[in-house]
Amino acid sequence: MCGIVAAVTQRNIINFLLKSIQKLEYRGYDSSGLALINSNNHLIRIRSVGKVNELIKKTKNKKLFGKIGVAHTRWATHGRVSKENTHPHVSSHITIVHNGIINNSLELRLFLEKKGYIFNSDTDTEVIVHLIHWEQKKTGKSLLEAVYNSLIKLNGNYSMVIMDTNNISKLIAVCSGSPLVIGLGSKENFIASDQIALLNVTKRFIYLKEGDIAIIKPEKIKIFNKKYLIVNRKIIHSNLKYEHSKKGKYKYYMEKEIYEQPMSIENTIKNYLKNNTSIYFKKLGKKEKNIFLHLEHIQIVACGTSYHAAMVSKYWFESLANIPCDVEVASEFSSRKLVVRKKSYFITLSQSGETADTLIALRIAKKLNYLGNLAISNMPNSSLVQESDTFLLTHAGIEIGVASTKSFTTQLIVLLMLVTKIISIKQKKNQIEKKIIKILTILPNTIKNFFEKNKEIKNIAKKLSNKKNMLFLGRGIQYPIAMEGALKVKEISYIHAEAYPSGELKHGPLALIDSNMPVIIIAPKNSLIEKTKKNIQEIDARGGVIYILSDEEINISKNIKILKMPYIDEIVAPIFYIIPLQLLAYYIALSKGTNIDQPRNLAKSVTVE
Ligand code: F6R
């Protein structure tokens, strides 16, 4: 949440700052700002409410110049959306951009006000910058020491970059509970919350670790760990290309990411196949094999879309592997007394690997009696991956649209392959593994062919775009798919959409049914379809507007519209049935004209609790 970019170079960096901060808009887009030190050593600060485009407009025709600077895009936490609350914040010669939350900011603010500091914003960030200024004034020591002494007084999670007009050759970066990556250039260096902001200037990166403080100069970088000792951090060569972060022929990233799914699914499957005949997780060694052999319970924790993927896997763990599995929303997992089941293994799921709720749940789980823990993430250098015993990657590629799509389907692929591998290890035979590999291999093409149906989905979407409410129903393993479909609609079209297990409707929500209530029912032909048909009749009898996704001919009433689905094996049906729901949500939002990639009030990576 919130995006930071900064640079210390030998050239004018205004265009770099604007272009790069725009790449981080997915992290927050309430307001944005930048600060540069110009050739006269003066600070130039420009801030604007709204998207980065507003900031770009403000910088036009200003002939800005600076070789060192910081920029920020904000997702408001402390203080409403206003110009005053927009970063960078300044205290005399010190400027700061910050991502995260300072829990004891009120107390520190009162202290600093007593020392004579006047606050111009409601943010916790302004508290930090005044605190650093006060520490330096008090001791007369270096900015680095002032930063270090201030950090000791802060309680919360943060990453920040500090710039000083009294010392224009360096930036100080601090990383604690929120990611920061240094991009290495030739006689220039960069900092950002995510490497995608830096792909147009470098391919070499250093990920700061929890508690690191870095001094970044054009030709040199020095990193101190939380004990204030100098450390060397690994340089990573990224194979991501700047083009990967572009929309290409698509209007929105979400559209691109939906249509990329056959490829991202295929990439993920291939990554975990050996000779196309067996599942091979390079990252999981003897230790995990032993755990898989003996585990008797799985606990999965995640948020939002990742939580829905985890819910699907519960059905796979229980029905295919016969292993009891509990799934919980991360913020709830860390809000109660926990009883750990016997021989339980802990799994987290997170596209970004930075979701604060999920990270906190992992930290709690690590202190409990689990056999071990595993993270499934799309981000190889994320905090979750670094803090977990081991990890599996989803290989979805960069996902920029705030509403998750390809990360969901690739999470399902990894989870299904994991369930399958555990079955093979426990049963010491691999018939199921062979069967599932076959089913998985044909999935990408089935999805590709299905995209031809998008016209039909667009027509349904047009009819639904003026509705105020929608219901999504699913039974068994399709219930989490109904939940995910409803979440997609809510997020990007702002239509109130709820999901229910089909059988639960008659226990209350049936009262909502009338001719204004569209009901989307996921009903693949399986052992549950006869029960679902009864639910469909109950809705039809009450005048509900019904849309069914099914591969079965359902002739209950003329009023029912059916989106005919091709046959798909029951095991992978949830991975397939989410595709029409993603498209439906996308085309509803397109008809409504909302900002699909940046829905109001949201941000992609939620790094606050
Ligand atoms: C929904 C969505 C969110 C995320 C949730 C968890 O489209 O994107 O609900 O799924 O914030 O994010 P990760 O997976 O990064 O932990």
Side-chain angles (χ1 to χ4, degrees):
M1 252 161 177
C2 298
I4 290 175
V5 294
V8 52
T9 69
Q10 316 278 359
R11 58 179 165 123
N12 190 7
I13 48 149
I14 179 69
N15 287 338
F16 159 79
L17 287 179
L18 291 170
K19 210 168 172 181
S20 299
I21 203 63
Q22 201 157 36
K23 284 275 169 218
L24 295 187
E25 260 192 330
Y26 73 91
R27 300 180 68 93
Y29 32 81
D30 291 337
S31 62
S32 62
L34 61 83
L36 292 165
I37 300 177
N38 72 8
S39 6
N40 301 323
N41 282 7
H42 288 143
L43 186 79
I44 310 289
R45 178 170 59 154
I46 301 176
R47 298 179 294 171
S48 180
V49 168
K51 306 249 155 68
V52 174
N53 258 336
E54 299 305 314
L55 181 70
I56 294 175
K57 279 185 211 157
K58 274 197 165 180
T59 58
K60 278 236 160 87
N61 307 324
K62 281 217 161 79
K63 295 208 172 103
L64 294 168
F65 183 90
K67 295 178 186 171
I68 179 167
V70 294
H72 188 267
T73 178
R74 180 170 187 246
W75 188 83
T77 54
H78 278 60
R80 67 196 167 85
V81 178
S82 70
K83 189 177 163 197
E84 293 68 38
N85 289 336
T86 302
H87 300 218
H89 290 282
V90 177
S91 183
S92 178
H93 54 98
I94 304 171
T95 301
I96 192 172
V97 284
H98 158 233
N99 177 10
I101 282 199
I102 306 303
N103 301 322
N104 58 340
S105 66
L106 208 59
E107 185 187 317
L108 290 168
R109 188 179 175 116
L110 292 174
F111 166 80
L112 289 160
E113 276 170 347
K114 278 189 197 143
K115 298 284 171 201
Y117 285 92
I118 294 164
F119 281 78
N120 296 308
S121 78
D122 308 316
T123 63
D124 48 356
T125 308
E126 199 182 357
V127 171
I128 310 174
V129 71
H130 287 319
L131 183 64
I132 295 172
H133 182 265
W134 182 74
E135 281 290 340
Q136 195 180 26
K137 208 169 100 183
K138 185 180 71 171
T139 60
K141 290 193 174 162
S142 70
L143 181 64
L144 181 70
E145 277 168 283
V147 169
Y148 186 76
N149 291 335
S150 303
L151 295 182
I152 296 167
K153 297 188 173 69
L154 299 181
N155 165 356
N157 66 64
Y158 44 80
S159 61
M160 52 184 132
V161 179
I162 302 138
M163 184 168 76
D164 185 359
T165 40
N166 287 346
N167 191 336
I168 60 161
S169 64
K170 68 176 177 201
L171 293 166
I172 294 181
V174 178
C175 174
S176 180
S178 185
L180 266 191
V181 59
I182 299 175
L184 305 171
S186 160
K187 296 190 184 154
E188 55 181 13
N189 287 308
F190 309 89
I191 311 161
S193 320
D194 185 328
Q195 57 163 279
I196 69 162
L198 306 180
L199 289 174
N200 54 345
V201 286
T202 186
K203 290 270 175 282
R204 295 186 305 137
F205 297 99
I206 295 176
Y207 276 85
L208 291 180
K209 290 214 185 295
E210 182 69 16
D212 280 356
I213 306 179
I215 302 178
I216 296 141
K217 297 184 176 179
E219 310 201 17
K220 207 164 134 197
I221 284 161
K222 205 188 252 182
I223 302 173
F224 299 85
N225 66 10
K226 58 176 118 176
K227 291 181 181 149
Y228 210 32
L229 300 170
I230 294 178
V231 281
N232 277 322
R233 298 280 180 232
K234 207 166 101 192
I235 298 176
I236 289 163
H237 293 258
S238 172
N239 51 15
L240 281 178
K241 291 200 177 89
Y242 183 60
E243 289 63 45
H244 291 156
S245 66
K246 285 183 166 172
K247 280 200 283 259
K249 63 175 183 183
Y250 297 97
K251 184 158 189 208
Y252 285 101
Y253 281 109
M254 185 185 179
E255 185 188 14
K256 175 179 177 239
E257 287 154 8
I258 291 173
Y259 285 98
E260 265 174 5
Q261 287 177 108
M263 186 178 69
S264 52
I265 288 174
E266 194 172 346
N267 284 346
T268 308
I269 296 169
K270 278 192 177 151
N271 239 288
Y272 296 123
L273 281 188
K274 199 174 177 182
N275 304 328
N276 286 333
T277 51
S278 65
I279 295 171
Y280 175 60
F281 296 119
K282 203 166 146 197
K283 276 274 156 220
L284 310 184
K286 265 190 190 156
K287 184 180 158 212
E288 281 76 28
K289 199 173 169 194
N290 194 40
I291 290 176
F292 292 168
L293 191 64
H294 295 106
L295 64 80
E296 289 177 7
H297 177 258
I298 302 270
Q299 174 70 58
I300 314 185
V301 163
C303 303
T305 289
S306 299
Y307 168 72
H308 297 153
M311 286 281 290
V312 171
S313 77
K314 173 183 166 70
Y315 291 83
W316 286 328
F317 274 117
E318 298 192 342
S319 64
L320 301 176
N322 216 15
I323 300 168
C325 172
D326 286 307
V327 177
E328 192 160 10
V329 162
S331 56
E332 282 301 306
F333 182 85
S334 47
S335 300
R336 63 186 180 83
K337 182 181 178 291
L338 298 159
V339 179
V340 180
R341 301 287 172 97
K342 214 175 106 199
K343 297 191 183 168
S344 182
Y345 191 56
F346 186 80
I347 300 177
T348 55
L349 220 59
S350 170
Q351 185 284 130
S352 61
E354 299 297 344
T355 301
D357 289 326
T358 311
L359 266 168
I360 289 162
L362 169 69
R363 288 172 193 153
I364 293 172
K366 280 166 83 171
K367 293 186 191 136
L368 300 173
N369 203 16
Y370 287 102
L371 293 175
N373 62 75
L374 162 83
I376 298 175
S377 178
N378 198 33
M379 304 304 270
N381 300 297
S382 61
S383 309
L384 196 72
V385 161
Q386 286 182 37
E387 290 187 34
S388 298
D389 289 353
T390 188
F391 65 92
L392 293 173
L393 295 178
T394 44
H395 300 284
I398 304 174
E399 190 180 68
I400 294 173
V402 162
S404 292
T405 50
K406 59 178 182 170
S407 67
F408 178 71
T409 44
T410 52
Q411 280 173 344
L412 290 178
I413 296 291
V414 174
L415 283 162
L416 180 56
M417 292 180 99
L418 179 67
V419 173
T420 310
K421 195 74 216 166
I422 294 176
I423 298 172
S424 297
I425 290 172
K426 276 193 177 293
Q427 295 183 349
K428 299 191 174 68
K429 50 185 181 193
N430 63 355
Q431 275 98 323
I432 291 198
E433 192 169 330
K434 280 187 180 154
K435 177 183 163 191
I436 289 181
I437 290 173
K438 245 189 186 166
I439 298 169
L440 279 174
T441 320
I442 52 173
L443 184 62
N445 255 334
T446 317
I447 298 175
K448 216 183 269 171
N449 296 337
F450 178 74
F451 282 143
E452 283 161 22
K453 282 222 165 219
N454 67 7
K455 242 196 193 147
E456 225 175 299
I457 298 173
K458 272 183 203 168
N459 288 338
I460 300 176
K462 271 190 199 139
K463 289 188 190 128
L464 296 179
S465 62
N466 63 351
K467 297 290 175 194
K468 295 252 175 314
N469 301 288
M470 281 170 78
L471 280 177
F472 284 76
L473 304 183
R475 206 178 253 276
I477 200 165
Q478 294 293 352
Y479 168 50
I481 297 305
M483 292 164 82
E484 177 58 10
L487 179 62
K488 291 288 89 92
V489 167
K490 260 185 266 204
E491 277 181 303
I492 58 169
S493 70
Y494 317 141
I495 292 174
H496 174 232
E498 289 300 331
Y500 277 94
S502 308
E504 187 62 14
L505 205 67
K506 56 187 177 294
H507 297 290
L510 202 55
L512 295 171
I513 300 297
D514 64 15
S515 58
N516 274 321
M517 177 64 89
V519 187
I520 317 291
I521 305 171
I522 308 151
K525 191 173 172 182
N526 59 24
S527 58
L528 301 171
I529 190 144
E530 291 310 317
K531 287 185 180 186
T532 304
K533 280 184 188 168
K534 282 188 205 151
N535 304 136
I536 296 170
Q537 274 159 342
E538 287 156 10
I539 303 164
D540 184 52
R542 283 152 185 94
V545 186
I546 303 172
Y547 296 87
I548 303 174
L549 276 61
S550 185
D551 50 343
E552 160 115 330
E553 295 296 338
I554 298 178
N555 297 317
I556 291 176
S557 135
K558 275 196 289 203
N559 300 329
I560 295 173
K561 287 158 202 72
I562 302 201
L563 182 74
K564 193 78 188 350
M565 301 288 287
Y567 165 79
I568 187 95
D569 190 284
E570 203 177 336
I571 295 175
V572 291
I575 314 176
F576 187 52
Y577 273 73
I578 192 55
I579 306 284
L581 298 184
Q582 293 170 343
L583 286 168
L584 187 68
Y586 175 77
Y587 288 120
I588 290 175
L590 198 66
S591 291
K592 288 195 75 171
T594 57
N595 187 336
I596 294 178
D597 285 335
Q598 294 168 354
R600 68 185 181 206
N601 307 336
L602 300 180
K604 185 140 190 83
S605 168
V606 187
T607 54
V608 292
E609 249 188 295

